[in-house]
Amino acid sequence: MFRKLAVLLLGLVAPLASLADDSLVKFKGGIGVIPVSSGVIPAGTQPLTSEVVNRNFVRGVPPPGQIWVIADLNADVKTDGSIKVRGRGLLLGGGNGIGGNANQSVFATLICEAAAPFVLHSTAPAGVPLAPNGDFRIDDVLDPPPPTPCASPVLLIRNLGGAWFAAGIVDLSD
């Protein structure tokens, strides 16, 4: 009798638990920024240098002037616009300050459109400071709230000047 009751209760609780997950989109892993995506080298130029480069804009958001790396990123965006981001090791990947955090603060931006016009759904632009080792936590609400569904999600971690330093990788495991 007890075993049948336990199975019945589990059968009722399991669907309720799945309803409790109101995630809009999750991100697992991160990609650091390389500010230049390509360049044009004129024929016969020695040494090989490029005077024309294509900056690595993502959905209208500019890159910074230097390479940044990120060790790990996890984020969960809820349908009500609340967002939790945990980042590790967001540090300069080049230049004289390599391995440092450049005393930066960061905020998160979610973009749901695959083509312009892009709507930037962002956490507070005052941001959160990077720890000396590049770790950070964002617990905030996106403004404006994102649409449901978010058809083509891109999560950018940006500095206070608006440049993107890292991007989240959509978690497709669900």
Side-chain angles (χ1 to χ4, degrees):
M1 170 78 174
F2 178 72
R3 178 177 253 165
K4 288 181 182 179
L5 182 59
V7 170
L8 178 64
L9 287 174
L10 182 61
L12 293 173
V13 172
L16 292 176
S18 67
L19 291 175
D21 185 10
D22 59 346
S23 290
L24 177 64
V25 61
K26 293 181 181 182
F27 297 87
K28 185 173 183 176
I31 301 167
V33 65
I34 299 175
V36 175
S37 60
S38 63
V40 177
I41 300 172
T45 303
Q46 292 297 324
L48 296 178
T49 60
S50 177
E51 296 178 10
V52 178
V53 298
N54 295 313
R55 292 185 65 213
N56 192 2
F57 278 74
V58 172
R59 299 192 183 178
V61 178
Q66 188 54 267
I67 295 170
W68 283 77
V69 298
I70 190 163
D72 194 26
L73 185 133
N74 288 291
D76 187 3
V77 180
K78 301 295 186 182
T79 55
D80 67 359
S82 61
I83 181 171
K84 290 185 186 283
V85 183
R86 304 295 178 259
R88 284 190 324 104
L90 181 56
L91 299 167
L92 280 164
N96 291 335
I98 192 166
N101 70 6
N103 294 317
Q104 293 289 319
S105 291
V106 295
F107 66 98
T109 296
L110 178 69
I111 304 167
C112 294
E113 297 80 21
F118 302 111
V119 177
L120 306 181
H121 309 273
S122 297
T123 59
V128 298
L130 293 176
N133 64 357
D135 291 358
F136 65 94
R137 289 177 176 255
I138 299 171
D139 292 314
D140 207 341
V141 177
L142 297 170
D143 183 36
T148 302
C150 182
S152 182
V154 167
L155 180 69
L156 299 177
I157 305 303
R158 302 168 64 196
N159 72 356
L160 302 189
W164 74 274
F165 282 13
I169 300 170
V170 176
D171 184 355
L172 299 174
S173 64
D174 287 345

